[in-house]
Every structure is written in structure tokens, then in C-alpha cells.
Amino acid sequence: MALASVLPLLLVPRPIVSPRPTAAGRFLSLSAPLSTAAPAPAPVEPLKAGGRLARLQPLHAASCCNSASAAASGGVEAARAKGLQLVAWYLLSLDKHPVATKAVTSAVLTLAGDLICQLVIDKVPELDLKRTFVFTLLGLVLVGPTLHFWYLYLSKLVTISGTSGVISRLLLDQFVFSPVFIGVFMSLLVTLEGKPSLVVPKLKQEWFSSLIANWQLWIPFQFLNFYFVPQKLQVLAANFVALAWNVILSYKAHKKVIAE
């Protein structure tokens, strides 16, 4: 009885469903397999702890290193440019004001030489400012101008070129000029320090040993100076050795005179 009532429903024909167009203009069939549907997005694999940070750290470190390297390179280039500007300015000053430039340079070197002598060699508990002032003053008014005119005169006096000319200038500089100049410098130094009565004892005690030290230091250097350096730059070249010589000269000139 129940089967008889359901049977007419089963025999009724089903309506045919027409396919509907998709957004892409293609037909999606109801009978199409499910696999033709749009694939689901692939699951995102979670980053391990610190993974992204670990990848970024080398890049950041490399960037910092490059920045530091560029900054250091820029600093070196800037320092080099400033150094070249200073040298150019000094050479220009030598051309325009040769005597004044050499006098100031000698003053700075005598100042530094006396300070080094007092602090490093004599190890004084307190600086003798009067001694430093007199020593620096002689560098300004005596050493710089005298060396300027002496080297100028020497280049005109000895016109021989080559090794013979160098040796001739060296002999005149070390065995004629230096003995006289060291004696005059010590005499003026002791006098200006208020001890004129010690001039002769000081010369007897320190002049010859100072001359020997002068020869040991200056003969090798002056040979190279006269041989390779133009006359205009010879005082400048001598200034590089003058600092050491000023320390020696300050020590010799201020040694206590031993009474005979």
C-alpha cells in the first residue's frame, strides 16, 4: 500500500537544470568533479622562532659595516685634504713671508723642546716659565732668522753642483757656522736668564760636548738636506730634526755649572 503511493512520484520525470555561466564565462557543470574547483591556498609555514630576525641580522650587520667603512674612509680623506691644505698654506707663507714663517716655526720648536726637556729629562716638579720664555724667544729672534739668511748665503757662496757642492756646504755649515752659533746661543741664553757671570764657565763646561752632539746629529741629516731638498725648504726640513736638537741644547744649556 505504501509502495503503491510512492511509485507514481518515482515515475515522474525530473527537470533538467541548465548550466549557469561562471564569472570567467565558462560553464560549471553539476556533474563536474570536485577536483576542478579552485585550489585552496597552500598553508603558510610558520617561521621558526627568530627565523626572520636571523635572516635580517646579517644584512643589518653588513649595512652597518659598510656605513662604518664609508665613514672611516671619508674621515681619512677629510684629514688628508686638511693636511694638504695646511702644507699648501705653509709653503705659501714661506713664499710671502719667509723670515717670519721660519722664525715662528723655530719658536714653536724651541718651546716644545724646552718643555720636553723639563718634563721628561729634568723631571722638574714645576715648570720654569722664565727659562721656557727665554729659550722660545731665542728661537723666534735668533734661530729662525739666522738660519734663513745663513742657508741663503750658503747656497750663493757654494755654486758647485752635485756631491762636491753638498760636501762643501756641509763642511762650512758644521765646522764654521755651528761652533760660532752654539757659542752665541748659549751666551745669550745664560745672559738673558740673568746669569751673565756664568757665560764663560758655561762655555768651558758645555760648548765642546754640545758641538760633538751637534755633529753626531746634524752631519748625516744635513748631507741629505743639502743634497735632496731645495734651498727654500731646507729650514723646514731641518725643523723635523730641530725638535730633538732643541731638547739636547736645552739640557746642555741648563746643566748646573760645576765650580772648578
mmCIF file of all heavy atoms in Angstrom, residues 175-220:
data_model
loop_
_atom_site.group_PDB
_atom_site.id
_atom_site.type_symbol
_atom_site.label_atom_id
_atom_site.label_comp_id
_atom_site.label_asym_id
_atom_site.label_seq_id
_atom_site.Cartn_x
_atom_site.Cartn_y
_atom_site.Cartn_z
ATOM 1 N N PHE A 175 131.459 73.085 10.455
ATOM 2 C CA PHE A 175 132.767 73.366 11.048
ATOM 3 C C PHE A 175 133.108 74.852 11.078
ATOM 4 O O PHE A 175 134.131 75.224 11.660
ATOM 5 C CB PHE A 175 133.858 72.590 10.305
ATOM 6 C CG PHE A 175 133.716 71.098 10.467
ATOM 7 C CD1 PHE A 175 133.093 70.331 9.489
ATOM 8 C CD2 PHE A 175 134.182 70.467 11.610
ATOM 9 C CE1 PHE A 175 132.944 68.965 9.645
ATOM 10 C CE2 PHE A 175 134.036 69.096 11.771
ATOM 11 C CZ PHE A 175 133.415 68.344 10.786
ATOM 12 N N VAL A 176 132.251 75.684 10.499
ATOM 13 C CA VAL A 176 132.444 77.129 10.581
ATOM 14 C C VAL A 176 131.256 77.782 11.288
ATOM 15 O O VAL A 176 131.425 78.499 12.291
ATOM 16 C CB VAL A 176 132.647 77.749 9.182
ATOM 17 C CG1 VAL A 176 132.742 79.272 9.289
ATOM 18 C CG2 VAL A 176 133.892 77.182 8.515
ATOM 19 N N PHE A 177 130.051 77.514 10.777
ATOM 20 C CA PHE A 177 128.860 78.164 11.326
ATOM 21 C C PHE A 177 128.462 77.584 12.681
ATOM 22 O O PHE A 177 128.209 78.340 13.643
ATOM 23 C CB PHE A 177 127.708 78.041 10.332
ATOM 24 C CG PHE A 177 126.402 78.547 10.863
ATOM 25 C CD1 PHE A 177 126.138 79.911 10.900
ATOM 26 C CD2 PHE A 177 125.429 77.663 11.333
ATOM 27 C CE1 PHE A 177 124.932 80.389 11.405
ATOM 28 C CE2 PHE A 177 124.223 78.134 11.821
ATOM 29 C CZ PHE A 177 123.979 79.501 11.859
ATOM 30 N N SER A 178 128.365 76.265 12.807
ATOM 31 C CA SER A 178 127.824 75.649 14.023
ATOM 32 C C SER A 178 128.619 75.971 15.283
ATOM 33 O O SER A 178 128.015 76.288 16.328
ATOM 34 C CB SER A 178 127.713 74.128 13.835
ATOM 35 O OG SER A 178 126.716 73.826 12.893
ATOM 36 N N PRO A 179 129.965 75.910 15.281
ATOM 37 C CA PRO A 179 130.690 76.251 16.510
ATOM 38 C C PRO A 179 130.401 77.672 16.991
ATOM 39 O O PRO A 179 130.205 77.897 18.194
ATOM 40 C CB PRO A 179 132.154 76.087 16.106
ATOM 41 C CG PRO A 179 132.122 75.112 14.985
ATOM 42 C CD PRO A 179 130.870 75.419 14.237
ATOM 43 N N VAL A 180 130.347 78.615 16.063
ATOM 44 C CA VAL A 180 130.072 80.002 16.436
ATOM 45 C C VAL A 180 128.628 80.149 16.921
ATOM 46 O O VAL A 180 128.357 80.792 17.958
ATOM 47 C CB VAL A 180 130.347 80.941 15.242
ATOM 48 C CG1 VAL A 180 129.976 82.377 15.588
ATOM 49 C CG2 VAL A 180 131.811 80.848 14.821
ATOM 50 N N PHE A 181 127.699 79.538 16.213
ATOM 51 C CA PHE A 181 126.282 79.710 16.552
ATOM 52 C C PHE A 181 125.965 79.105 17.922
ATOM 53 O O PHE A 181 125.218 79.704 18.707
ATOM 54 C CB PHE A 181 125.413 79.072 15.471
ATOM 55 C CG PHE A 181 123.945 79.273 15.691
ATOM 56 C CD1 PHE A 181 123.355 80.493 15.419
ATOM 57 C CD2 PHE A 181 123.152 78.249 16.190
ATOM 58 C CE1 PHE A 181 122.003 80.693 15.633
ATOM 59 C CE2 PHE A 181 121.809 78.442 16.408
ATOM 60 C CZ PHE A 181 121.224 79.665 16.129
ATOM 61 N N ILE A 182 126.504 77.943 18.222
ATOM 62 C CA ILE A 182 126.243 77.321 19.519
ATOM 63 C C ILE A 182 126.800 78.184 20.649
ATOM 64 O O ILE A 182 126.156 78.369 21.694
ATOM 65 C CB ILE A 182 126.835 75.901 19.559
ATOM 66 C CG1 ILE A 182 126.044 74.991 18.620
ATOM 67 C CG2 ILE A 182 126.805 75.331 20.982
ATOM 68 C CD1 ILE A 182 126.634 73.600 18.464
ATOM 69 N N GLY A 183 127.997 78.736 20.448
ATOM 70 C CA GLY A 183 128.577 79.611 21.464
ATOM 71 C C GLY A 183 127.733 80.865 21.686
ATOM 72 O O GLY A 183 127.490 81.274 22.830
ATOM 73 N N VAL A 184 127.279 81.492 20.613
ATOM 74 C CA VAL A 184 126.445 82.691 20.730
ATOM 75 C C VAL A 184 125.110 82.369 21.406
ATOM 76 O O VAL A 184 124.647 83.116 22.291
ATOM 77 C CB VAL A 184 126.214 83.316 19.342
ATOM 78 C CG1 VAL A 184 125.177 84.425 19.410
ATOM 79 C CG2 VAL A 184 127.529 83.842 18.775
ATOM 80 N N PHE A 185 124.502 81.264 21.029
ATOM 81 C CA PHE A 185 123.212 80.889 21.603
ATOM 82 C C PHE A 185 123.340 80.670 23.111
ATOM 83 O O PHE A 185 122.518 81.185 23.897
ATOM 84 C CB PHE A 185 122.686 79.619 20.930
ATOM 85 C CG PHE A 185 121.313 79.212 21.370
ATOM 86 C CD1 PHE A 185 120.195 79.672 20.696
ATOM 87 C CD2 PHE A 185 121.139 78.378 22.473
ATOM 88 C CE1 PHE A 185 118.922 79.307 21.113
ATOM 89 C CE2 PHE A 185 119.878 78.009 22.888
ATOM 90 C CZ PHE A 185 118.761 78.482 22.210
ATOM 91 N N MET A 186 124.338 79.914 23.541
ATOM 92 C CA MET A 186 124.499 79.656 24.973
ATOM 93 C C MET A 186 124.799 80.924 25.750
ATOM 94 O O MET A 186 124.282 81.137 26.863
ATOM 95 C CB MET A 186 125.604 78.626 25.191
ATOM 96 C CG MET A 186 125.206 77.199 24.900
ATOM 97 S SD MET A 186 126.483 76.029 25.434
ATOM 98 C CE MET A 186 125.607 74.492 25.252
ATOM 99 N N SER A 187 125.618 81.769 25.176
ATOM 100 C CA SER A 187 125.975 83.026 25.863
ATOM 101 C C SER A 187 124.749 83.909 26.051
ATOM 102 O O SER A 187 124.520 84.459 27.145
ATOM 103 C CB SER A 187 127.044 83.764 25.067
ATOM 104 O OG SER A 187 128.219 82.982 24.941
ATOM 105 N N LEU A 188 123.937 84.056 24.989
ATOM 106 C CA LEU A 188 122.736 84.872 25.099
ATOM 107 C C LEU A 188 121.723 84.250 26.053
ATOM 108 O O LEU A 188 121.055 84.973 26.811
ATOM 109 C CB LEU A 188 122.104 85.053 23.717
ATOM 110 C CG LEU A 188 122.838 85.984 22.755
ATOM 111 C CD1 LEU A 188 122.176 85.953 21.375
ATOM 112 C CD2 LEU A 188 122.870 87.411 23.298
ATOM 113 N N LEU A 189 121.611 82.954 26.044
ATOM 114 C CA LEU A 189 120.646 82.283 26.915
ATOM 115 C C LEU A 189 120.992 82.512 28.386
ATOM 116 O O LEU A 189 120.119 82.888 29.187
ATOM 117 C CB LEU A 189 120.623 80.780 26.601
ATOM 118 C CG LEU A 189 119.634 79.935 27.412
ATOM 119 C CD1 LEU A 189 118.206 80.308 27.063
ATOM 120 C CD2 LEU A 189 119.870 78.445 27.159
ATOM 121 N N VAL A 190 122.247 82.298 28.725
ATOM 122 C CA VAL A 190 122.662 82.484 30.115
ATOM 123 C C VAL A 190 122.526 83.952 30.524
ATOM 124 O O VAL A 190 122.095 84.273 31.649
ATOM 125 C CB VAL A 190 124.109 81.991 30.317
ATOM 126 C CG1 VAL A 190 124.603 82.317 31.721
ATOM 127 C CG2 VAL A 190 124.193 80.485 30.062
ATOM 128 N N THR A 191 122.856 84.864 29.624
ATOM 129 C CA THR A 191 122.755 86.295 29.929
ATOM 130 C C THR A 191 121.306 86.712 30.142
ATOM 131 O O THR A 191 120.984 87.427 31.105
ATOM 132 C CB THR A 191 123.390 87.121 28.809
ATOM 133 O OG1 THR A 191 124.761 86.744 28.647
ATOM 134 C CG2 THR A 191 123.313 88.606 29.120
ATOM 135 N N LEU A 192 120.415 86.302 29.248
ATOM 136 C CA LEU A 192 119.013 86.686 29.371
ATOM 137 C C LEU A 192 118.335 86.043 30.575
ATOM 138 O O LEU A 192 117.323 86.560 31.061
ATOM 139 C CB LEU A 192 118.257 86.308 28.095
ATOM 140 C CG LEU A 192 118.621 87.109 26.845
ATOM 141 C CD1 LEU A 192 117.910 86.548 25.621
ATOM 142 C CD2 LEU A 192 118.274 88.592 27.032
ATOM 143 N N GLU A 193 118.874 84.954 31.044
ATOM 144 C CA GLU A 193 118.327 84.332 32.256
ATOM 145 C C GLU A 193 118.851 85.006 33.528
ATOM 146 O O GLU A 193 118.523 84.584 34.641
ATOM 147 C CB GLU A 193 118.651 82.839 32.276
ATOM 148 C CG GLU A 193 117.828 82.035 31.280
ATOM 149 C CD GLU A 193 118.139 80.549 31.295
ATOM 150 O OE1 GLU A 193 119.176 80.160 31.892
ATOM 151 O OE2 GLU A 193 117.346 79.777 30.725
ATOM 152 N N GLY A 194 119.659 86.059 33.341
ATOM 153 C CA GLY A 194 120.126 86.822 34.488
ATOM 154 C C GLY A 194 121.381 86.277 35.138
ATOM 155 O O GLY A 194 121.637 86.565 36.318
ATOM 156 N N LYS A 195 122.191 85.515 34.384
ATOM 157 C CA LYS A 195 123.417 84.939 34.956
ATOM 158 C C LYS A 195 124.617 85.227 34.051
ATOM 159 O O LYS A 195 125.313 84.303 33.595
ATOM 160 C CB LYS A 195 123.254 83.428 35.128
ATOM 161 C CG LYS A 195 122.024 83.023 35.938
ATOM 162 C CD LYS A 195 121.792 81.536 35.873
ATOM 163 C CE LYS A 195 120.498 81.144 36.573
ATOM 164 N NZ LYS A 195 120.211 79.692 36.446
ATOM 165 N N PRO A 196 124.889 86.489 33.762
ATOM 166 C CA PRO A 196 125.994 86.790 32.835
ATOM 167 C C PRO A 196 127.358 86.349 33.348
ATOM 168 O O PRO A 196 128.251 86.061 32.548
ATOM 169 C CB PRO A 196 125.930 88.317 32.697
ATOM 170 C CG PRO A 196 125.223 88.790 33.916
ATOM 171 C CD PRO A 196 124.246 87.710 34.265
ATOM 172 N N SER A 197 127.515 86.242 34.646
ATOM 173 C CA SER A 197 128.805 85.819 35.187
ATOM 174 C C SER A 197 129.098 84.347 34.900
ATOM 175 O O SER A 197 130.250 83.907 35.033
ATOM 176 C CB SER A 197 128.837 86.059 36.701
ATOM 177 O OG SER A 197 127.805 85.313 37.344
ATOM 178 N N LEU A 198 128.074 83.583 34.510
ATOM 179 C CA LEU A 198 128.263 82.151 34.233
ATOM 180 C C LEU A 198 128.499 81.861 32.758
ATOM 181 O O LEU A 198 128.594 80.685 32.373
ATOM 182 C CB LEU A 198 127.039 81.363 34.713
ATOM 183 C CG LEU A 198 126.758 81.371 36.220
ATOM 184 C CD1 LEU A 198 125.510 80.564 36.518
ATOM 185 C CD2 LEU A 198 127.955 80.818 36.994
ATOM 186 N N VAL A 199 128.600 82.881 31.920
ATOM 187 C CA VAL A 199 128.763 82.656 30.482
ATOM 188 C C VAL A 199 130.046 81.890 30.197
ATOM 189 O O VAL A 199 130.040 80.856 29.504
ATOM 190 C CB VAL A 199 128.734 83.997 29.723
ATOM 191 C CG1 VAL A 199 129.147 83.766 28.264
ATOM 192 C CG2 VAL A 199 127.353 84.617 29.782
ATOM 193 N N VAL A 200 131.158 82.375 30.687
ATOM 194 C CA VAL A 200 132.446 81.728 30.409
ATOM 195 C C VAL A 200 132.507 80.328 31.026
ATOM 196 O O VAL A 200 132.893 79.362 30.338
ATOM 197 C CB VAL A 200 133.607 82.615 30.895
ATOM 198 C CG1 VAL A 200 134.938 81.880 30.716
ATOM 199 C CG2 VAL A 200 133.641 83.936 30.120
ATOM 200 N N PRO A 201 132.154 80.152 32.308
ATOM 201 C CA PRO A 201 132.156 78.789 32.850
ATOM 202 C C PRO A 201 131.230 77.835 32.086
ATOM 203 O O PRO A 201 131.557 76.660 31.905
ATOM 204 C CB PRO A 201 131.691 78.979 34.303
ATOM 205 C CG PRO A 201 132.042 80.381 34.635
ATOM 206 C CD PRO A 201 131.857 81.144 33.355
ATOM 207 N N LYS A 202 130.083 78.356 31.658
ATOM 208 C CA LYS A 202 129.148 77.514 30.900
ATOM 209 C C LYS A 202 129.754 77.077 29.571
ATOM 210 O O LYS A 202 129.640 75.905 29.183
ATOM 211 C CB LYS A 202 127.840 78.270 30.660
ATOM 212 C CG LYS A 202 126.864 77.595 29.721
ATOM 213 C CD LYS A 202 126.343 76.291 30.282
ATOM 214 C CE LYS A 202 125.418 76.520 31.445
ATOM 215 N NZ LYS A 202 124.791 75.248 31.921
ATOM 216 N N LEU A 203 130.394 78.003 28.879
ATOM 217 C CA LEU A 203 131.016 77.649 27.600
ATOM 218 C C LEU A 203 132.148 76.650 27.802
ATOM 219 O O LEU A 203 132.320 75.717 27.001
ATOM 220 C CB LEU A 203 131.526 78.912 26.902
ATOM 221 C CG LEU A 203 130.434 79.877 26.409
ATOM 222 C CD1 LEU A 203 131.081 81.129 25.805
ATOM 223 C CD2 LEU A 203 129.526 79.207 25.395
ATOM 224 N N LYS A 204 132.926 76.841 28.846
ATOM 225 C CA LYS A 204 134.020 75.898 29.098
ATOM 226 C C LYS A 204 133.498 74.500 29.398
ATOM 227 O O LYS A 204 134.103 73.505 29.001
ATOM 228 C CB LYS A 204 134.857 76.398 30.276
ATOM 229 C CG LYS A 204 135.735 77.602 29.961
ATOM 230 C CD LYS A 204 136.567 77.986 31.176
ATOM 231 C CE LYS A 204 137.473 79.171 30.864
ATOM 232 N NZ LYS A 204 138.296 79.558 32.051
ATOM 233 N N GLN A 205 132.379 74.437 30.072
ATOM 234 C CA GLN A 205 131.847 73.139 30.504
ATOM 235 C C GLN A 205 131.028 72.454 29.416
ATOM 236 O O GLN A 205 131.111 71.218 29.269
ATOM 237 C CB GLN A 205 130.993 73.335 31.758
ATOM 238 C CG GLN A 205 130.354 72.055 32.282
ATOM 239 C CD GLN A 205 129.568 72.290 33.550
ATOM 240 O OE1 GLN A 205 130.102 72.809 34.531
ATOM 241 N NE2 GLN A 205 128.294 71.905 33.542
ATOM 242 N N GLU A 206 130.226 73.197 28.654
ATOM 243 C CA GLU A 206 129.230 72.572 27.787
ATOM 244 C C GLU A 206 129.420 72.829 26.287
ATOM 245 O O GLU A 206 128.799 72.138 25.486
ATOM 246 C CB GLU A 206 127.827 73.071 28.186
ATOM 247 C CG GLU A 206 127.436 72.757 29.614
ATOM 248 C CD GLU A 206 127.339 71.264 29.890
ATOM 249 O OE1 GLU A 206 127.183 70.467 28.925
ATOM 250 O OE2 GLU A 206 127.428 70.878 31.059
ATOM 251 N N TRP A 207 130.236 73.789 25.911
ATOM 252 C CA TRP A 207 130.300 74.144 24.494
ATOM 253 C C TRP A 207 130.807 72.992 23.631
ATOM 254 O O TRP A 207 130.168 72.631 22.631
ATOM 255 C CB TRP A 207 131.196 75.378 24.288
ATOM 256 C CG TRP A 207 131.429 75.725 22.846
ATOM 257 C CD1 TRP A 207 130.585 76.360 22.004
ATOM 258 C CD2 TRP A 207 132.599 75.413 22.074
ATOM 259 N NE1 TRP A 207 131.133 76.476 20.748
ATOM 260 C CE2 TRP A 207 132.383 75.905 20.768
ATOM 261 C CE3 TRP A 207 133.812 74.779 22.370
ATOM 262 C CZ2 TRP A 207 133.322 75.771 19.756
ATOM 263 C CZ3 TRP A 207 134.755 74.647 21.355
ATOM 264 C CH2 TRP A 207 134.498 75.143 20.062
ATOM 265 N N PHE A 208 131.926 72.389 23.994
ATOM 266 C CA PHE A 208 132.513 71.363 23.125
ATOM 267 C C PHE A 208 131.648 70.100 23.092
ATOM 268 O O PHE A 208 131.462 69.494 22.023
ATOM 269 C CB PHE A 208 133.928 71.020 23.590
ATOM 270 C CG PHE A 208 134.643 70.089 22.661
ATOM 271 C CD1 PHE A 208 135.044 70.507 21.399
ATOM 272 C CD2 PHE A 208 134.896 68.766 23.033
ATOM 273 C CE1 PHE A 208 135.695 69.633 20.531
ATOM 274 C CE2 PHE A 208 135.537 67.897 22.164
ATOM 275 C CZ PHE A 208 135.942 68.327 20.915
ATOM 276 N N SER A 209 131.125 69.688 24.237
ATOM 277 C CA SER A 209 130.266 68.495 24.234
ATOM 278 C C SER A 209 128.992 68.750 23.419
ATOM 279 O O SER A 209 128.471 67.834 22.759
ATOM 280 C CB SER A 209 129.905 68.091 25.666
ATOM 281 O OG SER A 209 129.174 69.117 26.311
ATOM 282 N N SER A 210 128.500 70.001 23.468
ATOM 283 C CA SER A 210 127.335 70.341 22.646
ATOM 284 C C SER A 210 127.681 70.301 21.163
ATOM 285 O O SER A 210 126.866 69.862 20.338
ATOM 286 C CB SER A 210 126.818 71.740 23.016
ATOM 287 O OG SER A 210 126.424 71.787 24.360
ATOM 288 N N LEU A 211 128.884 70.734 20.834
ATOM 289 C CA LEU A 211 129.309 70.705 19.437
ATOM 290 C C LEU A 211 129.441 69.274 18.931
ATOM 291 O O LEU A 211 129.047 68.967 17.794
ATOM 292 C CB LEU A 211 130.638 71.448 19.301
ATOM 293 C CG LEU A 211 131.164 71.648 17.884
ATOM 294 C CD1 LEU A 211 130.180 72.447 17.041
ATOM 295 C CD2 LEU A 211 132.534 72.350 17.923
ATOM 296 N N ILE A 212 129.972 68.386 19.771
ATOM 297 C CA ILE A 212 130.083 66.970 19.383
ATOM 298 C C ILE A 212 128.683 66.381 19.143
ATOM 299 O O ILE A 212 128.456 65.658 18.155
ATOM 300 C CB ILE A 212 130.835 66.166 20.462
ATOM 301 C CG1 ILE A 212 132.291 66.658 20.584
ATOM 302 C CG2 ILE A 212 130.795 64.674 20.144
ATOM 303 C CD1 ILE A 212 133.107 66.463 19.331
ATOM 304 N N ALA A 213 127.747 66.665 20.045
ATOM 305 C CA ALA A 213 126.379 66.171 19.870
ATOM 306 C C ALA A 213 125.757 66.741 18.597
ATOM 307 O O ALA A 213 125.027 66.049 17.870
ATOM 308 C CB ALA A 213 125.535 66.545 21.093
ATOM 309 N N ASN A 214 126.057 68.004 18.316
ATOM 310 C CA ASN A 214 125.572 68.636 17.093
ATOM 311 C C ASN A 214 126.100 67.921 15.853
ATOM 312 O O ASN A 214 125.347 67.654 14.913
ATOM 313 C CB ASN A 214 126.012 70.104 17.087
ATOM 314 C CG ASN A 214 125.706 70.790 15.782
ATOM 315 O OD1 ASN A 214 124.602 71.255 15.553
ATOM 316 N ND2 ASN A 214 126.686 70.861 14.896
ATOM 317 N N TRP A 215 127.368 67.613 15.844
ATOM 318 C CA TRP A 215 127.940 66.908 14.694
ATOM 319 C C TRP A 215 127.329 65.525 14.510
ATOM 320 O O TRP A 215 127.056 65.098 13.393
ATOM 321 C CB TRP A 215 129.457 66.793 14.872
ATOM 322 C CG TRP A 215 130.184 68.096 14.672
ATOM 323 C CD1 TRP A 215 129.730 69.189 14.012
ATOM 324 C CD2 TRP A 215 131.487 68.420 15.159
ATOM 325 N NE1 TRP A 215 130.663 70.196 14.043
ATOM 326 C CE2 TRP A 215 131.763 69.752 14.735
ATOM 327 C CE3 TRP A 215 132.453 67.750 15.904
ATOM 328 C CZ2 TRP A 215 132.960 70.402 15.036
ATOM 329 C CZ3 TRP A 215 133.645 68.392 16.202
ATOM 330 C CH2 TRP A 215 133.890 69.707 15.769
ATOM 331 N N GLN A 216 127.131 64.815 15.609
ATOM 332 C CA GLN A 216 126.581 63.459 15.519
ATOM 333 C C GLN A 216 125.158 63.471 14.942
ATOM 334 O O GLN A 216 124.774 62.552 14.207
ATOM 335 C CB GLN A 216 126.565 62.807 16.910
ATOM 336 C CG GLN A 216 127.950 62.491 17.445
ATOM 337 C CD GLN A 216 127.916 62.002 18.876
ATOM 338 O OE1 GLN A 216 126.950 62.226 19.613
ATOM 339 N NE2 GLN A 216 128.978 61.321 19.303
ATOM 340 N N LEU A 217 124.416 64.491 15.268
ATOM 341 C CA LEU A 217 123.022 64.555 14.803
ATOM 342 C C LEU A 217 122.902 65.196 13.428
ATOM 343 O O LEU A 217 122.197 64.690 12.543
ATOM 344 C CB LEU A 217 122.186 65.335 15.817
ATOM 345 C CG LEU A 217 120.699 65.532 15.473
ATOM 346 C CD1 LEU A 217 119.974 64.190 15.446
ATOM 347 C CD2 LEU A 217 120.041 66.491 16.458
ATOM 348 N N TRP A 218 123.603 66.308 13.238
ATOM 349 C CA TRP A 218 123.339 67.142 12.074
ATOM 350 C C TRP A 218 124.163 66.791 10.846
ATOM 351 O O TRP A 218 123.714 67.058 9.724
ATOM 352 C CB TRP A 218 123.566 68.614 12.420
ATOM 353 C CG TRP A 218 122.465 69.186 13.244
ATOM 354 C CD1 TRP A 218 122.490 69.439 14.573
ATOM 355 C CD2 TRP A 218 121.163 69.554 12.793
ATOM 356 N NE1 TRP A 218 121.291 69.945 14.990
ATOM 357 C CE2 TRP A 218 120.449 70.039 13.920
ATOM 358 C CE3 TRP A 218 120.524 69.525 11.561
ATOM 359 C CZ2 TRP A 218 119.137 70.485 13.836
ATOM 360 C CZ3 TRP A 218 119.215 69.973 11.478
ATOM 361 C CH2 TRP A 218 118.536 70.447 12.601
ATOM 362 N N ILE A 219 125.339 66.238 10.994
ATOM 363 C CA ILE A 219 126.147 65.956 9.791
ATOM 364 C C ILE A 219 125.442 64.964 8.862
ATOM 365 O O ILE A 219 125.321 65.226 7.655
ATOM 366 C CB ILE A 219 127.561 65.477 10.173
ATOM 367 C CG1 ILE A 219 128.374 66.665 10.691
ATOM 368 C CG2 ILE A 219 128.263 64.839 8.979
ATOM 369 C CD1 ILE A 219 129.796 66.315 11.124
ATOM 370 N N PRO A 220 124.950 63.824 9.359
ATOM 371 C CA PRO A 220 124.234 62.918 8.433
ATOM 372 C C PRO A 220 122.979 63.559 7.836
ATOM 373 O O PRO A 220 122.707 63.418 6.643
ATOM 374 C CB PRO A 220 123.873 61.711 9.312
ATOM 375 C CG PRO A 220 124.795 61.792 10.471
ATOM 376 C CD PRO A 220 125.046 63.244 10.708
#
